[in-house]
Amino acid sequence: MAASEENSALFPIFVLTIMAIPIVPYTVTKLCRAASKKSKSIHCHCSECTRSGKYHKSIFKRISNVSTCSNVTLLLLWVVMIILVYYIRTMSSETQVFDPFSILELEPGALESEIKKKYRRLSIQYHPDKNPDPEAHKYFVEYIAKAYQALTDPIARENYEKYGHPDGRQGFQMGIALPQFLLNIDGASGGILLIWIVGVCILLPLVVAVVYLSRSSKYSGNYVMHQTLSTYYYLMKPSLAPSKVMDVFTKAAEYMEIPVRRTDDEPLQKLFMLVRSELNLDLKNIKQEQAKFWKQHPALVKTELLVQAQLTREFAALSPSLQSDFSRILETAPRLLEELMKMAVIPRNAQGHGWLRPAIGIVELSQSIIQAVPLSSRKSIGGSPDGIAPFLQLPHINETVIKKVVRKKVRTFQELLEMDSQERADLLIQTAGMSSAEVQDIEVVLDMMPSLTLDVTCETEGEEGMQEGDIVTLHAWVNVKRGNGLIGALPHAPYYPFHKEESFWFLLADSVSNNVWLFQKVSFMDEAAAVTAASKAIEESMEGSGANMKETSRAVAEAVEKVKGGSRLVLGKFQAPSEGSYNLTCYILCDSWLGCDRKTNLKLKILKRTRAGTRGASLTDEGPIVEDGIEEDEENVDEEYDEDYESEYSEDEEYDQNWKNKHQAANGTANKHGQAAENSNSDKE
């Protein structure tokens, strides 16, 4: 019975140990992450962003940020652990080891005369005849009398002094640290023990596994439904125009689950009239087009209208019930657009190439949603391929201000960026009639905008040139600079109600054939991860080339310095195509800002494979040519494509025809010795 009580007393210690094993390391990791976060503000401080309240940390918002589900659960577990520690400590103080010498207030090894003398003195103090207190009587019987008996009996005293127990050597005992009632197998307690074992050891893991498998079978790692990925893959087409990307984007399964209410009919009708010009309806048959639009699935109609409400900034037209649906759509939009981008650039043909045109359209749609800029504003005007859209992302800028600025021959957004700050301020104040505070807001936003540069090289391991079939390694350093000195930052997006980190897409593509050879997502937010990735890539590359340890260490150190200076390494491999010269383009596209995309021309010369392994130059003498940006006029082999690209939103059908004609011409002249047949096969695919 005593052993059973001792095991039951150890149960709190057992529970405390099991809880402490995962909780303590998790808490330390969480605190280290919180301490390592930079205190530097990385969001925009213009008046519009401040007014939006997105970054305002009130006392309630601070509490809500801290009181997340995981933090509250962790705090409650620590409270339980503290209670267990207090209980165990109290229980330990109540559970005293039987020590006859300490009970009789004697030193170990005391003589029998001293024991008897001390016993008589304590008897006068605690004996029932001398002290009527019940507690004194209990203490005398259970402690003093037993201690005296243990020390006056020669055998009991010898056992105690030798083995620490009056009964002599004690055998080794094992027990289970469970409560007393669970260890009683008789009667109902046996059933309780059985239920406890089945529940903890069988049912609990089974429930966790079922919940995990049911969720993982429905969602991908990016919390996007598998049904959405299948829909995006099926609807993605190589000639999908940017103005048609919206039709694919809104067919996500997440949006099909948005509730449809009868009370939303009237607000949606009003919203339709406000955004009708953005819906690509045929004005010649407007009645038939409107009827066709409303015959779609109600969830699709609601989703497209709410997305257009974001693009046109018609927030006042939304009813309270539509506001919740509106927030739900915008919150999931970045994840869905990222997966849609992957569906566009993943390998689609025999050569393992994706599609460029839909990829550019997806990035443009993402930019427009984050900055709340209409797609129609991206129509090419004059020398600006992106139209007035980049101007509209700046605070206090509207079409009236843009018209006044254009009159002063500032026709492109790039020209505005390249102006001196004082010259720009004079232009905006004197010509557009803006105040100094408004101009200061514009300067703050321009200082937040990333300025991107690309440094791209291609090589084959162990060889000087490239022959068809070789594995070509591409090294690209993407560098970002901002006027405020930041590397990673949150974009200026006062009309997007959620925190959104900048993301960039690197694409190596052939703009004539519409093929994406290589792609990679780039982020400037996590410097530690970028350092690790760059170090590992450089180390593997140097080891593959046969470099020694000293050269490898030097190359890794240089890469780490580049990363800390605002660069990110893009490393990829692709198989060299058949013999010929290829004019490729390296794009770096931002999903949040308009007007900061850049590209670099890369000219490759692939030689015919020979048995002797003779090599030739892989890059032309001109080498990679860095362009000023997508928004500037191009004077290269892609000039015809770029002119079509600038007018995509207004001339989609004309673009499709031009693209097909160019593709057919490319198939006939790009390569020799059977290349035309190979390209025509890829077109059929």
Side-chain angles (χ1 to χ4, degrees):
M1 189 68 177
S4 178
E5 292 178 354
E6 183 178 355
N7 293 333
S8 180
L10 293 176
F11 179 67
I13 301 177
F14 170 75
V15 174
L16 179 63
T17 305
I18 296 299
M19 292 180 64
I21 289 174
I23 291 176
V24 172
Y26 177 76
T27 304
V28 173
T29 304
K30 203 173 185 66
L31 292 175
C32 291
R33 288 179 180 176
S36 62
K37 286 185 178 180
K38 294 182 178 180
S39 59
K40 183 187 293 186
S41 177
I42 59 173
H43 64 80
C44 181
H45 293 278
C46 72
S47 61
E48 288 191 356
C49 287
T50 304
R51 197 182 306 117
S52 68
K54 183 165 55 173
Y55 306 112
H56 178 62
K57 293 185 178 180
S58 62
I59 183 64
F60 299 103
K61 202 163 188 178
R62 292 173 187 270
I63 293 174
S64 63
N65 289 338
V66 175
S67 59
T68 59
C69 182
S70 60
N71 290 342
V72 171
T73 303
L74 184 63
L75 180 62
L76 291 177
L77 291 175
W78 272 104
V79 170
V80 173
M81 289 178 60
I82 293 173
I83 294 174
L84 286 175
V85 170
Y86 176 77
Y87 175 77
I88 292 170
R89 190 171 183 179
T90 305
M91 181 184 63
S92 300
S93 61
E94 293 177 354
T95 306
Q96 298 179 358
V97 179
F98 182 75
D99 185 3
F101 289 105
S102 62
I103 294 173
L104 296 179
E105 301 176 0
L106 295 171
E107 295 293 333
L111 299 176
E112 185 175 353
S113 59
E114 295 177 351
I115 295 173
K116 292 181 179 180
K117 182 179 179 181
K118 195 64 177 180
Y119 174 71
R120 286 193 296 269
R121 184 178 300 174
L122 293 175
S123 298
I124 296 173
Q125 183 177 355
Y126 292 100
H127 196 278
D129 295 339
K130 305 294 183 181
N131 190 341
D133 187 3
E135 292 295 330
H137 176 251
K138 181 179 179 180
Y139 183 73
F140 179 80
V141 173
E142 294 183 0
Y143 290 94
I144 297 176
K146 287 184 178 181
Y148 177 73
Q149 182 180 3
L151 294 180
T152 53
D153 186 351
I155 299 176
R157 180 170 181 175
E158 182 181 358
N159 289 335
Y160 175 77
E161 292 178 349
K162 186 179 294 185
Y163 305 111
H165 197 280
D167 296 334
R169 187 190 297 274
Q170 300 296 302
F172 179 73
Q173 295 181 350
M174 295 182 64
I176 304 175
L178 293 176
Q180 177 73 27
F181 70 92
L182 289 178
L183 296 176
N184 185 12
I185 306 301
D186 300 333
S189 297
I192 295 175
L193 178 61
L194 179 62
I195 293 174
W196 188 85
I197 294 175
V198 172
V200 174
C201 300
I202 300 177
L203 293 182
L204 181 60
L206 185 62
V207 170
V208 173
V210 169
V211 172
Y212 173 77
L213 292 176
S214 63
R215 184 171 181 83
S216 62
S217 63
K218 187 177 181 181
Y219 291 92
S220 65
N222 200 21
Y223 298 102
V224 175
M225 297 176 66
H226 290 294
Q227 184 180 350
T228 299
L229 301 181
S230 300
T231 302
Y232 283 172
Y233 185 86
Y234 175 77
L235 296 177
M236 186 61 59
K237 304 298 179 184
S239 59
L240 188 69
S243 57
K244 303 297 182 182
V245 170
M246 175 77 75
D247 298 335
V248 179
F249 167 68
T250 55
K251 289 181 173 59
E254 287 83 351
Y255 294 156
M256 298 298 292
E257 294 180 350
I258 293 178
V260 179
R261 315 175 192 89
R262 290 185 178 180
T263 55
D264 294 337
D265 292 344
E266 184 178 351
L268 288 176
Q269 288 283 355
K270 293 180 180 179
L271 182 60
F272 173 80
M273 299 304 297
L274 294 173
V275 303
R276 183 173 58 178
S277 60
E278 298 289 332
L279 295 176
N280 294 322
L281 302 180
D282 187 3
L283 298 179
K284 296 179 181 179
N285 302 308
I286 187 64
K287 292 184 178 180
Q288 293 83 349
E289 289 290 312
Q290 289 184 12
K292 182 180 179 182
F293 177 81
W294 288 104
K295 285 182 180 179
Q296 298 181 97
H297 192 283
L300 290 177
V301 173
K302 175 185 280 191
T303 300
E304 185 165 359
L305 290 177
L306 292 179
V307 172
Q308 292 294 348
Q310 167 69 7
L311 299 179
T312 57
R313 305 180 184 179
E314 295 290 350
F315 314 116
L318 302 181
S319 63
S321 59
L322 288 178
Q323 284 285 356
S324 61
D325 299 332
F326 178 71
S327 299
R328 179 177 175 181
I329 290 173
L330 292 185
E331 187 176 12
T332 56
R335 297 199 303 270
L336 296 178
L337 287 168
E338 180 179 343
E339 295 302 322
L340 185 59
M341 182 70 173
K342 293 177 182 178
M343 293 299 108
V345 296
I346 60 175
R348 293 281 191 160
N349 54 28
Q351 292 75 30
H353 297 159
W355 298 325
L356 176 63
R357 193 182 185 205
I360 292 177
I362 293 165
V363 172
E364 291 179 347
L365 177 60
S366 176
Q367 295 171 352
S368 298
I369 290 177
I370 300 303
Q371 296 296 340
V373 173
L375 293 177
S376 60
S377 65
R378 304 186 72 114
K379 292 180 181 178
S380 176
I381 298 177
S384 177
D386 285 330
I388 64 173
F391 291 94
L392 294 176
Q393 69 185 335
L394 299 178
H396 316 298
I397 296 289
N398 52 37
E399 293 186 11
T400 303
V401 174
I402 296 173
K403 290 179 181 178
K404 293 179 180 180
V405 171
V406 171
R407 291 173 188 169
K408 294 296 182 180
K409 298 183 180 180
V410 181
R411 298 183 178 181
T412 66
F413 186 71
Q414 188 65 29
E415 292 178 3
L416 184 68
L417 287 175
E418 293 174 353
M419 294 177 66
D420 181 75
S421 59
Q422 185 60 45
E423 183 183 0
R424 188 165 48 236
D426 294 339
L427 172 68
L428 295 175
I429 293 175
Q430 298 174 7
T431 304
M434 303 181 71
S435 64
S436 299
E438 291 174 338
V439 173
Q440 181 61 32
D441 280 343
I442 293 176
E443 292 297 328
V444 169
V445 174
L446 293 179
D447 285 341
M448 288 289 294
M449 286 195 68
S451 176
L452 302 169
T453 55
L454 278 169
D455 182 16
V456 185
T457 58
C458 287
E459 60 183 7
T460 54
E461 294 183 2
E463 302 290 347
E464 295 181 356
M466 299 181 190
Q467 292 186 359
E468 52 187 10
D470 285 348
I471 301 300
V472 182
T473 302
L474 178 139
H475 289 81
W477 283 100
V478 183
N479 182 265
V480 64
K481 291 186 180 298
R482 306 177 198 267
N484 56 16
L486 292 175
I487 296 177
L490 301 178
H492 161 79
Y495 300 104
Y496 186 76
F498 303 98
H499 287 246
K500 171 69 174 68
E501 294 183 358
E502 295 174 344
S503 293
F504 300 84
W505 287 94
F506 175 87
L507 304 178
L508 174 65
D510 185 348
S511 56
V512 176
S513 62
N514 193 41
N515 289 331
V516 175
W517 292 28
L518 188 145
F519 71 94
Q520 183 173 323
K521 185 180 178 182
V522 181
S523 175
F524 290 90
M525 297 300 294
D526 193 346
E527 182 180 286
V531 167
T532 303
S535 301
K536 184 177 180 181
I538 295 297
E539 185 175 353
E540 292 178 353
S541 177
M542 295 296 291
E543 290 178 355
S545 62
N548 55 38
M549 185 64 68
K550 187 176 181 179
E551 293 175 343
T552 302
S553 300
R554 187 184 303 112
V556 170
E558 292 176 356
V560 170
E561 289 300 319
K562 282 187 176 182
V563 171
K564 292 182 178 180
S567 296
R568 296 293 183 266
L569 176 63
V570 175
L571 183 65
K573 296 184 179 182
F574 60 91
Q575 188 174 17
S578 56
E579 177 190 6
S581 296
Y582 295 85
N583 297 309
L584 305 180
T585 306
C586 298
Y587 295 86
I588 184 69
L589 308 174
C590 181
D591 70 344
S592 303
W593 293 94
L594 291 95
C596 67
D597 300 334
R598 294 292 181 269
K599 63 181 179 180
T600 298
N601 285 348
L602 185 67
K603 298 181 181 180
L604 300 181
K605 184 177 182 181
I606 308 299
L607 302 178
K608 186 176 181 180
R609 179 164 292 281
T610 60
R611 294 183 179 179
T614 305
R615 297 287 183 169
S618 62
L619 293 178
T620 61
D621 296 336
E622 294 86 349
I625 303 175
V626 179
E627 306 295 335
D628 291 335
I630 289 179
E631 67 278 9
E632 296 186 354
D633 295 334
E634 305 295 339
E635 297 179 359
N636 49 41
V637 295
D638 301 333
E639 182 175 357
E640 184 181 357
Y641 172 82
D642 288 342
E643 291 175 356
D644 291 330
Y645 166 67
E646 293 172 2
S647 60
E648 282 172 345
Y649 288 98
S650 57
E651 301 175 348
D652 289 332
E653 294 181 359
E654 180 181 352
Y655 180 92
D656 293 338
Q657 186 63 36
N658 292 340
W659 179 81
K660 290 178 181 178
N661 294 338
K662 287 185 293 183
H663 198 189
Q664 292 172 359
N667 290 337
T669 60
N671 301 308
K672 302 176 182 179
H673 305 293
Q675 178 64 10
E678 181 179 348
N679 284 344
S680 63
N681 291 335
S682 65
D683 289 344
K684 293 179 182 179
E685 295 175 2

